[in-house]
Amino acid sequence: MEILKLDSVQITYDGIPVAEDISFSLNEGEILGVVGESGSGKSTIIKAVVGLLNSGGAVKNGTIRYKGENLLEKSERQLRQIRGKEIGMISQNASTTFCPIRKVGDQIYETLRAHGKISKREAKTKTLDIFNKLNFMDGEKVWNSYPFQLSGGMNQRVAVALAMLLEPKILLSDEATSALDNISRNQVISELIKLYDMGTSVIFVTHDIDIVESICDKVLVLKDGRMQEYGSAKQVLFNPQNQYTKHLIQCTRQLRGTGYGKAAGNEV
Ligand SMILES: Nc1ncnc2c1ncn2[C@@H]1O[C@H](COP(=O)(O)OP(=O)(O)OP(=O)(O)O)[C@@H](O)[C@H]1O
Ligand SMILES: [Mg+2]
């Protein structure tokens, strides 16, 4: 079943269009990868879905329907109820998720309480349970830590855990793994896959075609705010129709193959 549907969406900053004619849909339990070079409008589209465009930004045209209802017609108060609980978001930098100088546990408790009646003890039990499922070494210690005491990778994994605790219907992941080392990256990806196992639909913004290949059902390719290609991951990655998509995929494959990357002794 279709859970999210964008139709002919146009987004502007200070009146200037940065995304034009964006249309796609997300089914329940599906992972959609969004790829494209820097500035192509990936974050803008994600932010528009939850009504959190940067200042000067506006959706000028089209509809963004969540479960059939146009989010563009919702009030800020209604959107606040939808964010986190219905549509969760993880951004590139977990430092925007957590306040560095307040304990992780207190912040998680506050977020859970904002979306439903829960005691601190219940919140802690639920959180430690998720930490445990995500193979955190010492969940109790993380709960009692300040974000500044944790590594970037650990903060990001806590952000994923928090998103999971709210059990959203849709998770928007905006380059959640791009600032991480390989080990943390793989941990976060495997955690996101668990989310998907829980029936959550995911929009996964990334520069990384390898990740798209391994986890996405559908792919949307963007360039300069316009859709270049949109379809099943299999079709877009292995039989691209669009010139730009071909180029993007070819670049990745070349880097990965022999003769190019650093492993072959050449500068990338
Ligand atoms: N607050 C703003 N005011 C004006 N223009 C903005 C603002 N925020 C973003 N833009 C513009 O919108 C366009 C799309 O930016 P966006 O951040 O969505 O790109 P992106 O694909 O997420 O890039 P990256 O891969 O670097 O994260 C860019 O041209 C950017 O300059
Ligand atoms: Mg971005």
Side-chain angles (χ1 to χ4, degrees), residues 48-82:
V49 169
V50 282
L52 289 176
L53 287 169
N54 305 338
S55 76
V59 179
K60 283 282 152 88
N61 257 318
T63 53
I64 300 179
R65 293 188 187 280
Y66 169 66
K67 291 184 172 169
E69 290 183 38
N70 190 359
L71 294 179
L72 301 175
E73 287 164 2
K74 302 271 178 203
S75 66
E76 179 54 32
R77 203 166 138 255
Q78 288 170 317
L79 283 177
R80 237 178 283 141
Q81 290 305 311
I82 290 172

PDB file of all heavy atoms in Angstrom, residues 48-82:
ATOM      1  N   ALA A  48      11.214  19.037   2.969  1.00  0.00           N
ATOM      2  CA  ALA A  48       9.880  19.502   2.583  1.00  0.00           C
ATOM      3  C   ALA A  48       8.805  18.529   3.069  1.00  0.00           C
ATOM      4  O   ALA A  48       7.713  18.938   3.466  1.00  0.00           O
ATOM      5  CB  ALA A  48       9.797  19.675   1.067  1.00  0.00           C
ATOM      6  N   VAL A  49       9.132  17.223   3.067  1.00  0.00           N
ATOM      7  CA  VAL A  49       8.156  16.216   3.487  1.00  0.00           C
ATOM      8  C   VAL A  49       7.727  16.447   4.938  1.00  0.00           C
ATOM      9  O   VAL A  49       6.551  16.336   5.274  1.00  0.00           O
ATOM     10  CB  VAL A  49       8.719  14.781   3.307  1.00  0.00           C
ATOM     11  CG1 VAL A  49       7.824  13.746   3.977  1.00  0.00           C
ATOM     12  CG2 VAL A  49       8.898  14.457   1.830  1.00  0.00           C
ATOM     13  N   VAL A  50       8.677  16.799   5.797  1.00  0.00           N
ATOM     14  CA  VAL A  50       8.320  17.013   7.205  1.00  0.00           C
ATOM     15  C   VAL A  50       8.100  18.492   7.541  1.00  0.00           C
ATOM     16  O   VAL A  50       7.983  18.860   8.711  1.00  0.00           O
ATOM     17  CB  VAL A  50       9.375  16.400   8.172  1.00  0.00           C
ATOM     18  CG1 VAL A  50       9.191  14.906   8.270  1.00  0.00           C
ATOM     19  CG2 VAL A  50      10.790  16.746   7.758  1.00  0.00           C
ATOM     20  N   GLY A  51       8.038  19.328   6.515  1.00  0.00           N
ATOM     21  CA  GLY A  51       7.757  20.745   6.749  1.00  0.00           C
ATOM     22  C   GLY A  51       8.857  21.467   7.480  1.00  0.00           C
ATOM     23  O   GLY A  51       8.597  22.354   8.290  1.00  0.00           O
ATOM     24  N   LEU A  52      10.105  21.074   7.205  1.00  0.00           N
ATOM     25  CA  LEU A  52      11.230  21.703   7.905  1.00  0.00           C
ATOM     26  C   LEU A  52      12.260  22.281   6.939  1.00  0.00           C
ATOM     27  O   LEU A  52      13.462  22.100   7.121  1.00  0.00           O
ATOM     28  CB  LEU A  52      11.924  20.679   8.816  1.00  0.00           C
ATOM     29  CG  LEU A  52      11.184  20.227  10.067  1.00  0.00           C
ATOM     30  CD1 LEU A  52      11.955  19.144  10.801  1.00  0.00           C
ATOM     31  CD2 LEU A  52      10.900  21.396  11.010  1.00  0.00           C
ATOM     32  N   LEU A  53      11.788  22.989   5.913  1.00  0.00           N
ATOM     33  CA  LEU A  53      12.730  23.625   4.988  1.00  0.00           C
ATOM     34  C   LEU A  53      13.525  24.710   5.713  1.00  0.00           C
ATOM     35  O   LEU A  53      13.039  25.294   6.678  1.00  0.00           O
ATOM     36  CB  LEU A  53      11.966  24.246   3.811  1.00  0.00           C
ATOM     37  CG  LEU A  53      11.400  23.273   2.785  1.00  0.00           C
ATOM     38  CD1 LEU A  53      10.438  23.981   1.837  1.00  0.00           C
ATOM     39  CD2 LEU A  53      12.522  22.611   1.987  1.00  0.00           C
ATOM     40  N   ASN A  54      14.730  24.955   5.232  1.00  0.00           N
ATOM     41  CA  ASN A  54      15.526  26.056   5.800  1.00  0.00           C
ATOM     42  C   ASN A  54      14.770  27.365   5.561  1.00  0.00           C
ATOM     43  O   ASN A  54      13.874  27.416   4.728  1.00  0.00           O
ATOM     44  CB  ASN A  54      16.896  26.152   5.094  1.00  0.00           C
ATOM     45  CG  ASN A  54      17.645  24.841   5.127  1.00  0.00           C
ATOM     46  OD1 ASN A  54      17.381  23.992   5.967  1.00  0.00           O
ATOM     47  ND2 ASN A  54      18.588  24.673   4.205  1.00  0.00           N
ATOM     48  N   SER A  55      15.197  28.432   6.263  1.00  0.00           N
ATOM     49  CA  SER A  55      14.439  29.671   6.121  1.00  0.00           C
ATOM     50  C   SER A  55      14.534  30.185   4.689  1.00  0.00           C
ATOM     51  O   SER A  55      15.564  30.051   4.036  1.00  0.00           O
ATOM     52  CB  SER A  55      14.925  30.719   7.121  1.00  0.00           C
ATOM     53  OG  SER A  55      16.139  31.239   6.683  1.00  0.00           O
ATOM     54  N   GLY A  56      13.436  30.745   4.198  1.00  0.00           N
ATOM     55  CA  GLY A  56      13.374  31.201   2.800  1.00  0.00           C
ATOM     56  C   GLY A  56      12.826  30.135   1.881  1.00  0.00           C
ATOM     57  O   GLY A  56      12.544  30.392   0.718  1.00  0.00           O
ATOM     58  N   GLY A  57      12.649  28.908   2.411  1.00  0.00           N
ATOM     59  CA  GLY A  57      12.172  27.806   1.585  1.00  0.00           C
ATOM     60  C   GLY A  57      10.657  27.685   1.600  1.00  0.00           C
ATOM     61  O   GLY A  57      10.022  27.990   2.605  1.00  0.00           O
ATOM     62  N   ALA A  58      10.072  27.263   0.470  1.00  0.00           N
ATOM     63  CA  ALA A  58       8.622  27.061   0.408  1.00  0.00           C
ATOM     64  C   ALA A  58       8.283  26.036  -0.664  1.00  0.00           C
ATOM     65  O   ALA A  58       8.976  25.941  -1.675  1.00  0.00           O
ATOM     66  CB  ALA A  58       7.927  28.386   0.085  1.00  0.00           C
ATOM     67  N   VAL A  59       7.227  25.261  -0.410  1.00  0.00           N
ATOM     68  CA  VAL A  59       6.712  24.366  -1.448  1.00  0.00           C
ATOM     69  C   VAL A  59       5.675  25.171  -2.216  1.00  0.00           C
ATOM     70  O   VAL A  59       4.687  25.633  -1.648  1.00  0.00           O
ATOM     71  CB  VAL A  59       6.074  23.098  -0.837  1.00  0.00           C
ATOM     72  CG1 VAL A  59       5.523  22.208  -1.941  1.00  0.00           C
ATOM     73  CG2 VAL A  59       7.096  22.335  -0.011  1.00  0.00           C
ATOM     74  N   LYS A  60       5.912  25.371  -3.505  1.00  0.00           N
ATOM     75  CA  LYS A  60       5.070  26.276  -4.289  1.00  0.00           C
ATOM     76  C   LYS A  60       3.994  25.543  -5.066  1.00  0.00           C
ATOM     77  O   LYS A  60       2.971  26.108  -5.419  1.00  0.00           O
ATOM     78  CB  LYS A  60       5.945  27.082  -5.267  1.00  0.00           C
ATOM     79  CG  LYS A  60       6.707  28.202  -4.598  1.00  0.00           C
ATOM     80  CD  LYS A  60       5.783  29.384  -4.341  1.00  0.00           C
ATOM     81  CE  LYS A  60       6.191  30.225  -3.172  1.00  0.00           C
ATOM     82  NZ  LYS A  60       7.055  31.272  -3.275  1.00  0.00           N
ATOM     83  N   ASN A  61       4.248  24.297  -5.371  1.00  0.00           N
ATOM     84  CA  ASN A  61       3.337  23.553  -6.237  1.00  0.00           C
ATOM     85  C   ASN A  61       3.263  22.108  -5.818  1.00  0.00           C
ATOM     86  O   ASN A  61       4.198  21.591  -5.217  1.00  0.00           O
ATOM     87  CB  ASN A  61       3.894  23.552  -7.673  1.00  0.00           C
ATOM     88  CG  ASN A  61       3.144  24.527  -8.535  1.00  0.00           C
ATOM     89  OD1 ASN A  61       1.922  24.620  -8.462  1.00  0.00           O
ATOM     90  ND2 ASN A  61       3.897  25.255  -9.341  1.00  0.00           N
ATOM     91  N   GLY A  62       2.172  21.460  -6.171  1.00  0.00           N
ATOM     92  CA  GLY A  62       2.091  20.022  -5.975  1.00  0.00           C
ATOM     93  C   GLY A  62       1.496  19.613  -4.645  1.00  0.00           C
ATOM     94  O   GLY A  62       1.042  20.449  -3.857  1.00  0.00           O
ATOM     95  N   THR A  63       1.518  18.298  -4.402  1.00  0.00           N
ATOM     96  CA  THR A  63       0.998  17.767  -3.147  1.00  0.00           C
ATOM     97  C   THR A  63       1.996  16.762  -2.556  1.00  0.00           C
ATOM     98  O   THR A  63       2.731  16.098  -3.289  1.00  0.00           O
ATOM     99  CB  THR A  63      -0.343  17.016  -3.346  1.00  0.00           C
ATOM    100  OG1 THR A  63      -0.148  16.032  -4.366  1.00  0.00           O
ATOM    101  CG2 THR A  63      -1.469  17.949  -3.741  1.00  0.00           C
ATOM    102  N   ILE A  64       2.007  16.697  -1.227  1.00  0.00           N
ATOM    103  CA  ILE A  64       2.797  15.688  -0.518  1.00  0.00           C
ATOM    104  C   ILE A  64       1.807  14.942   0.362  1.00  0.00           C
ATOM    105  O   ILE A  64       1.359  15.469   1.384  1.00  0.00           O
ATOM    106  CB  ILE A  64       3.903  16.344   0.335  1.00  0.00           C
ATOM    107  CG1 ILE A  64       4.848  17.165  -0.553  1.00  0.00           C
ATOM    108  CG2 ILE A  64       4.682  15.275   1.117  1.00  0.00           C
ATOM    109  CD1 ILE A  64       5.963  17.886   0.192  1.00  0.00           C
ATOM    110  N   ARG A  65       1.398  13.762  -0.069  1.00  0.00           N
ATOM    111  CA  ARG A  65       0.369  13.029   0.665  1.00  0.00           C
ATOM    112  C   ARG A  65       0.973  11.923   1.524  1.00  0.00           C
ATOM    113  O   ARG A  65       1.730  11.097   1.031  1.00  0.00           O
ATOM    114  CB  ARG A  65      -0.643  12.406  -0.304  1.00  0.00           C
ATOM    115  CG  ARG A  65      -1.458  13.437  -1.021  1.00  0.00           C
ATOM    116  CD  ARG A  65      -2.590  12.829  -1.822  1.00  0.00           C
ATOM    117  NE  ARG A  65      -3.229  13.874  -2.606  1.00  0.00           N
ATOM    118  CZ  ARG A  65      -4.121  14.731  -2.113  1.00  0.00           C
ATOM    119  NH1 ARG A  65      -4.524  14.617  -0.860  1.00  0.00           N
ATOM    120  NH2 ARG A  65      -4.606  15.686  -2.863  1.00  0.00           N
ATOM    121  N   TYR A  66       0.609  11.964   2.816  1.00  0.00           N
ATOM    122  CA  TYR A  66       0.974  10.891   3.740  1.00  0.00           C
ATOM    123  C   TYR A  66      -0.323  10.192   4.115  1.00  0.00           C
ATOM    124  O   TYR A  66      -1.252  10.845   4.605  1.00  0.00           O
ATOM    125  CB  TYR A  66       1.658  11.478   4.987  1.00  0.00           C
ATOM    126  CG  TYR A  66       1.843  10.481   6.101  1.00  0.00           C
ATOM    127  CD1 TYR A  66       2.692   9.385   5.946  1.00  0.00           C
ATOM    128  CD2 TYR A  66       1.159  10.624   7.295  1.00  0.00           C
ATOM    129  CE1 TYR A  66       2.845   8.456   6.960  1.00  0.00           C
ATOM    130  CE2 TYR A  66       1.314   9.706   8.322  1.00  0.00           C
ATOM    131  CZ  TYR A  66       2.159   8.623   8.147  1.00  0.00           C
ATOM    132  OH  TYR A  66       2.309   7.703   9.153  1.00  0.00           O
ATOM    133  N   LYS A  67      -0.412   8.904   3.853  1.00  0.00           N
ATOM    134  CA  LYS A  67      -1.651   8.146   4.058  1.00  0.00           C
ATOM    135  C   LYS A  67      -2.844   8.874   3.437  1.00  0.00           C
ATOM    136  O   LYS A  67      -3.906   8.993   4.042  1.00  0.00           O
ATOM    137  CB  LYS A  67      -1.904   7.928   5.550  1.00  0.00           C
ATOM    138  CG  LYS A  67      -0.900   6.968   6.179  1.00  0.00           C
ATOM    139  CD  LYS A  67      -1.263   6.722   7.626  1.00  0.00           C
ATOM    140  CE  LYS A  67      -0.426   5.634   8.243  1.00  0.00           C
ATOM    141  NZ  LYS A  67      -0.593   5.575   9.699  1.00  0.00           N
ATOM    142  N   GLY A  68      -2.621   9.435   2.259  1.00  0.00           N
ATOM    143  CA  GLY A  68      -3.712  10.074   1.523  1.00  0.00           C
ATOM    144  C   GLY A  68      -3.971  11.528   1.880  1.00  0.00           C
ATOM    145  O   GLY A  68      -4.684  12.230   1.165  1.00  0.00           O
ATOM    146  N   GLU A  69      -3.374  12.015   2.992  1.00  0.00           N
ATOM    147  CA  GLU A  69      -3.652  13.400   3.396  1.00  0.00           C
ATOM    148  C   GLU A  69      -2.510  14.334   3.010  1.00  0.00           C
ATOM    149  O   GLU A  69      -1.347  14.018   3.239  1.00  0.00           O
ATOM    150  CB  GLU A  69      -3.867  13.481   4.905  1.00  0.00           C
ATOM    151  CG  GLU A  69      -5.159  12.837   5.336  1.00  0.00           C
ATOM    152  CD  GLU A  69      -5.376  12.987   6.833  1.00  0.00           C
ATOM    153  OE1 GLU A  69      -5.048  14.057   7.391  1.00  0.00           O
ATOM    154  OE2 GLU A  69      -5.854  12.018   7.440  1.00  0.00           O
ATOM    155  N   ASN A  70      -2.882  15.475   2.442  1.00  0.00           N
ATOM    156  CA  ASN A  70      -1.868  16.422   1.984  1.00  0.00           C
ATOM    157  C   ASN A  70      -1.194  17.121   3.165  1.00  0.00           C
ATOM    158  O   ASN A  70      -1.818  17.921   3.865  1.00  0.00           O
ATOM    159  CB  ASN A  70      -2.519  17.454   1.056  1.00  0.00           C
ATOM    160  CG  ASN A  70      -1.472  18.312   0.359  1.00  0.00           C
ATOM    161  OD1 ASN A  70      -0.271  18.143   0.576  1.00  0.00           O
ATOM    162  ND2 ASN A  70      -1.932  19.230  -0.474  1.00  0.00           N
ATOM    163  N   LEU A  71       0.091  16.829   3.372  1.00  0.00           N
ATOM    164  CA  LEU A  71       0.811  17.413   4.512  1.00  0.00           C
ATOM    165  C   LEU A  71       0.946  18.926   4.378  1.00  0.00           C
ATOM    166  O   LEU A  71       1.126  19.634   5.355  1.00  0.00           O
ATOM    167  CB  LEU A  71       2.203  16.775   4.637  1.00  0.00           C
ATOM    168  CG  LEU A  71       2.238  15.285   5.005  1.00  0.00           C
ATOM    169  CD1 LEU A  71       3.679  14.793   5.071  1.00  0.00           C
ATOM    170  CD2 LEU A  71       1.536  15.031   6.339  1.00  0.00           C
ATOM    171  N   LEU A  72       0.856  19.413   3.138  1.00  0.00           N
ATOM    172  CA  LEU A  72       1.017  20.850   2.910  1.00  0.00           C
ATOM    173  C   LEU A  72      -0.166  21.641   3.475  1.00  0.00           C
ATOM    174  O   LEU A  72      -0.094  22.854   3.628  1.00  0.00           O
ATOM    175  CB  LEU A  72       1.182  21.135   1.410  1.00  0.00           C
ATOM    176  CG  LEU A  72       2.377  20.430   0.758  1.00  0.00           C
ATOM    177  CD1 LEU A  72       2.383  20.660  -0.743  1.00  0.00           C
ATOM    178  CD2 LEU A  72       3.689  20.907   1.378  1.00  0.00           C
ATOM    179  N   GLU A  73      -1.242  20.942   3.773  1.00  0.00           N
ATOM    180  CA  GLU A  73      -2.421  21.624   4.330  1.00  0.00           C
ATOM    181  C   GLU A  73      -2.469  21.524   5.850  1.00  0.00           C
ATOM    182  O   GLU A  73      -3.381  22.038   6.476  1.00  0.00           O
ATOM    183  CB  GLU A  73      -3.702  21.020   3.728  1.00  0.00           C
ATOM    184  CG  GLU A  73      -3.902  21.437   2.279  1.00  0.00           C
ATOM    185  CD  GLU A  73      -4.923  20.575   1.550  1.00  0.00           C
ATOM    186  OE1 GLU A  73      -5.507  19.670   2.178  1.00  0.00           O
ATOM    187  OE2 GLU A  73      -5.121  20.818   0.341  1.00  0.00           O
ATOM    188  N   LYS A  74      -1.469  20.849   6.449  1.00  0.00           N
ATOM    189  CA  LYS A  74      -1.474  20.667   7.903  1.00  0.00           C
ATOM    190  C   LYS A  74      -0.899  21.904   8.592  1.00  0.00           C
ATOM    191  O   LYS A  74      -0.013  22.583   8.060  1.00  0.00           O
ATOM    192  CB  LYS A  74      -0.618  19.457   8.296  1.00  0.00           C
ATOM    193  CG  LYS A  74      -1.069  18.162   7.656  1.00  0.00           C
ATOM    194  CD  LYS A  74      -2.098  17.460   8.496  1.00  0.00           C
ATOM    195  CE  LYS A  74      -2.586  16.192   7.816  1.00  0.00           C
ATOM    196  NZ  LYS A  74      -3.906  15.786   8.285  1.00  0.00           N
ATOM    197  N   SER A  75      -1.386  22.136   9.812  1.00  0.00           N
ATOM    198  CA  SER A  75      -0.836  23.243  10.601  1.00  0.00           C
ATOM    199  C   SER A  75       0.482  22.775  11.231  1.00  0.00           C
ATOM    200  O   SER A  75       0.767  21.582  11.288  1.00  0.00           O
ATOM    201  CB  SER A  75      -1.813  23.631  11.716  1.00  0.00           C
ATOM    202  OG  SER A  75      -1.912  22.551  12.631  1.00  0.00           O
ATOM    203  N   GLU A  76       1.251  23.729  11.733  1.00  0.00           N
ATOM    204  CA  GLU A  76       2.516  23.405  12.386  1.00  0.00           C
ATOM    205  C   GLU A  76       2.268  22.457  13.569  1.00  0.00           C
ATOM    206  O   GLU A  76       3.029  21.525  13.812  1.00  0.00           O
ATOM    207  CB  GLU A  76       3.204  24.703  12.833  1.00  0.00           C
ATOM    208  CG  GLU A  76       4.520  24.537  13.561  1.00  0.00           C
ATOM    209  CD  GLU A  76       5.567  23.695  12.824  1.00  0.00           C
ATOM    210  OE1 GLU A  76       5.590  23.722  11.585  1.00  0.00           O
ATOM    211  OE2 GLU A  76       6.335  22.990  13.520  1.00  0.00           O
ATOM    212  N   ARG A  77       1.170  22.688  14.267  1.00  0.00           N
ATOM    213  CA  ARG A  77       0.830  21.850  15.412  1.00  0.00           C
ATOM    214  C   ARG A  77       0.562  20.410  14.986  1.00  0.00           C
ATOM    215  O   ARG A  77       1.035  19.460  15.611  1.00  0.00           O
ATOM    216  CB  ARG A  77      -0.396  22.456  16.111  1.00  0.00           C
ATOM    217  CG  ARG A  77      -0.493  22.025  17.544  1.00  0.00           C
ATOM    218  CD  ARG A  77      -1.479  22.873  18.330  1.00  0.00           C
ATOM    219  NE  ARG A  77      -2.260  21.966  19.179  1.00  0.00           N
ATOM    220  CZ  ARG A  77      -3.512  21.633  18.930  1.00  0.00           C
ATOM    221  NH1 ARG A  77      -4.151  22.127  17.894  1.00  0.00           N
ATOM    222  NH2 ARG A  77      -4.135  20.807  19.742  1.00  0.00           N
ATOM    223  N   GLN A  78      -0.165  20.257  13.889  1.00  0.00           N
ATOM    224  CA  GLN A  78      -0.449  18.914  13.373  1.00  0.00           C
ATOM    225  C   GLN A  78       0.831  18.235  12.897  1.00  0.00           C
ATOM    226  O   GLN A  78       1.040  17.048  13.120  1.00  0.00           O
ATOM    227  CB  GLN A  78      -1.465  18.992  12.223  1.00  0.00           C
ATOM    228  CG  GLN A  78      -2.866  19.338  12.685  1.00  0.00           C
ATOM    229  CD  GLN A  78      -3.786  19.637  11.512  1.00  0.00           C
ATOM    230  OE1 GLN A  78      -3.406  20.335  10.559  1.00  0.00           O
ATOM    231  NE2 GLN A  78      -5.006  19.115  11.554  1.00  0.00           N
ATOM    232  N   LEU A  79       1.693  19.028  12.262  1.00  0.00           N
ATOM    233  CA  LEU A  79       2.955  18.462  11.754  1.00  0.00           C
ATOM    234  C   LEU A  79       3.840  17.972  12.888  1.00  0.00           C
ATOM    235  O   LEU A  79       4.527  16.964  12.777  1.00  0.00           O
ATOM    236  CB  LEU A  79       3.713  19.498  10.918  1.00  0.00           C
ATOM    237  CG  LEU A  79       3.196  19.741   9.499  1.00  0.00           C
ATOM    238  CD1 LEU A  79       3.991  20.845   8.825  1.00  0.00           C
ATOM    239  CD2 LEU A  79       3.255  18.466   8.660  1.00  0.00           C
ATOM    240  N   ARG A  80       3.793  18.695  14.005  1.00  0.00           N
ATOM    241  CA  ARG A  80       4.612  18.300  15.149  1.00  0.00           C
ATOM    242  C   ARG A  80       4.213  16.919  15.675  1.00  0.00           C
ATOM    243  O   ARG A  80       5.042  16.175  16.186  1.00  0.00           O
ATOM    244  CB  ARG A  80       4.510  19.354  16.258  1.00  0.00           C
ATOM    245  CG  ARG A  80       5.899  19.891  16.619  1.00  0.00           C
ATOM    246  CD  ARG A  80       5.841  20.954  17.676  1.00  0.00           C
ATOM    247  NE  ARG A  80       5.403  22.230  17.120  1.00  0.00           N
ATOM    248  CZ  ARG A  80       4.579  23.077  17.742  1.00  0.00           C
ATOM    249  NH1 ARG A  80       4.082  22.793  18.925  1.00  0.00           N
ATOM    250  NH2 ARG A  80       4.254  24.213  17.172  1.00  0.00           N
ATOM    251  N   GLN A  81       2.942  16.601  15.553  1.00  0.00           N
ATOM    252  CA  GLN A  81       2.464  15.282  15.966  1.00  0.00           C
ATOM    253  C   GLN A  81       2.919  14.193  14.996  1.00  0.00           C
ATOM    254  O   GLN A  81       3.058  13.036  15.355  1.00  0.00           O
ATOM    255  CB  GLN A  81       0.926  15.280  16.055  1.00  0.00           C
ATOM    256  CG  GLN A  81       0.391  16.103  17.219  1.00  0.00           C
ATOM    257  CD  GLN A  81       0.984  15.667  18.550  1.00  0.00           C
ATOM    258  OE1 GLN A  81       1.008  14.482  18.874  1.00  0.00           O
ATOM    259  NE2 GLN A  81       1.495  16.619  19.316  1.00  0.00           N
ATOM    260  N   ILE A  82       3.105  14.585  13.758  1.00  0.00           N
ATOM    261  CA  ILE A  82       3.479  13.613  12.719  1.00  0.00           C
ATOM    262  C   ILE A  82       4.987  13.349  12.730  1.00  0.00           C
ATOM    263  O   ILE A  82       5.440  12.222  12.584  1.00  0.00           O
ATOM    264  CB  ILE A  82       3.011  14.124  11.329  1.00  0.00           C
ATOM    265  CG1 ILE A  82       1.475  14.060  11.273  1.00  0.00           C
ATOM    266  CG2 ILE A  82       3.631  13.321  10.196  1.00  0.00           C
ATOM    267  CD1 ILE A  82       0.867  14.705  10.054  1.00  0.00           C
TER     268      ILE A  82
END
